[in-house]
Amino acid sequence: MTTATWNGETIAESDDTKVVEGNHYFPPDSVRRDLLSASPTTSVCPWKGTASYYSVTVDGEENTDAAWYYPAPKDAAAEIKDHVAFWRGVEITP
């Protein structure tokens, strides 16, 4: 079971993550949406497409843009559509 944890709270947990470029992408239904808030931030990957971001909030502390996902990935990244990956101090434990 792979977990994503920040500030002592499990944000996501799944035994079916997709690993792309060393990042674990969690299926949408394995992520605690109550800890995420949409961010206006986007970035572009040449082969995956445009990523959108979430901020993670635990116990009143916000980790801005700590999660990202591809709502409409390019064909080469179709398997990670809407899957969520983490960074910025979020600990991933495989």
Side-chain angles (χ1 to χ4, degrees):
M1 187 70 66
T2 303
T3 61
T5 307
W6 185 70
N7 208 18
E9 191 75 41
T10 298
I11 304 163
E13 190 171 48
S14 176
D15 59 3
D16 188 29
T17 63
K18 308 287 185 199
V19 180
V20 178
E21 296 180 331
N23 295 302
H24 283 268
Y25 285 81
F26 290 80
D29 62 356
S30 71
V31 180
R32 290 194 46 201
R33 300 289 171 171
D34 60 313
L35 301 177
L36 303 181
S37 57
S39 167
T41 302
T42 61
S43 63
V44 178
C45 171
W47 72 272
K48 291 187 295 267
T50 301
S52 294
Y53 288 77
Y54 293 117
S55 293
V56 177
T57 303
V58 174
D59 293 332
E61 289 187 48
E62 182 175 81
N63 190 344
T64 305
D65 296 342
W68 75 93
Y69 67 102
Y70 291 88
K74 293 183 177 184
D75 289 344
E79 73 173 353
I80 60 168
K81 181 182 184 339
D82 292 329
H83 284 53
V84 182
F86 300 92
W87 67 329
R88 294 199 169 161
V90 175
E91 183 179 343
I92 306 299
T93 308

